[in-house]
Amino acid sequence: MERTFVMFKPDCLERGLLGRILSRFEEKGLRLVAMKMLRVTPDLAKQHYAEHVTKPFYPDLEQFITASPVVATVFSGPEVIRVVREMLGATSGLKAASGTIRGDYSASRQMNLVHASDSPESAAREMAIYFKPAEILQWTPSLAGWLQAPSEV
Ligand code: CMP
């Protein structure tokens, strides 16, 4: 089972879309294994978005990501890193396909509602920034056997 870091950004909480978007991951059958609400500080933003710190849009990104609380989560499932990225759609809500989360709810490149890891290396790095190992739970929902065949997990 693969794990991915998924963060519901300030625009998601400000717009009251947390429940609706979380439901899409639950309905897909992805397993929620960690969750916390927090406010991203400027230092945390620089750590999380280290690869973007030198980019021209970074000051706006930091202002945005620190403006209101976020909800940090970890989901697990087969191929979950790719599956979540495909559910989100392209980075910009203006380009994301209809039917994806950003395509349906975002009309912005910056305010794109949800962040998700783009590789196993990013997932490991981002999970470690936001969660202690003991905060990421191991559990098997009762319905797990109706979501995947034993040979798929
Ligand atoms: P995310 O997937 O969290 O990764 C980096 C974030 O920076 C991205 O989503 C957007 O919120 C933001 N971002 C990426 N590109 C741009 C851009 N060109 N202008 C403004 N914000 C951007």
Side-chain angles (χ1 to χ4, degrees):
M1 281 279 211
E2 196 172 69
R3 295 189 300 189
T4 191
F5 175 75
V6 180
M7 191 170 81
F8 299 83
K9 298 186 187 185
D11 53 332
C12 188
L13 277 84
E14 289 281 358
R15 292 175 57 192
L17 291 172
L18 175 66
R20 193 172 295 203
I21 296 177
L22 195 54
S23 291
R24 290 173 74 134
F25 296 125
E26 288 187 305
E27 288 165 4
K28 176 74 174 171
L30 307 184
R31 190 177 305 177
L32 182 64
V33 294
M35 185 174 216
K36 74 168 65 155
M37 186 172 181
L38 70 147
R39 195 181 269 265
V40 175
T41 61
D43 282 351
L44 190 53
K46 288 183 186 76
Q47 203 182 342
H48 178 154
Y49 285 124
E51 66 180 305
H52 297 307
V53 166
T54 55
K55 297 194 179 151
F57 64 82
Y58 183 76
D60 285 348
L61 173 60
E62 184 178 294
Q63 201 280 330
F64 159 61
I65 211 73
T66 59
S68 287
V70 302
V71 171
T73 64
V74 177
F75 282 91
S76 76
E79 300 177 48
V80 71
I81 295 172
R82 180 188 56 75
V83 167
V84 169
R85 295 278 294 188
E86 288 184 5
M87 289 176 73
L88 292 185
T91 298
S92 170
L94 297 171
K95 300 213 168 68
S98 183
T100 64
I101 289 165
R102 291 171 178 155
D104 288 352
Y105 296 115
S106 165
S108 165
R109 198 165 51 177
Q110 177 179 268
M111 299 195 184
N112 58 4
L113 297 164
V114 185
H115 165 85
S117 309
D118 61 5
S119 66
E121 295 73 28
S122 305
R125 189 184 74 83
E126 292 166 3
M127 285 190 288
I129 291 174
Y130 289 90
F131 293 100
K132 300 186 186 102
E135 292 174 328
I136 303 176
L137 307 184
Q138 300 256 2
W139 70 296
T140 304
S142 310
L143 283 179
W146 291 101
L147 293 169
Q148 275 107 23
S151 61
E152 292 179 299
V153 293

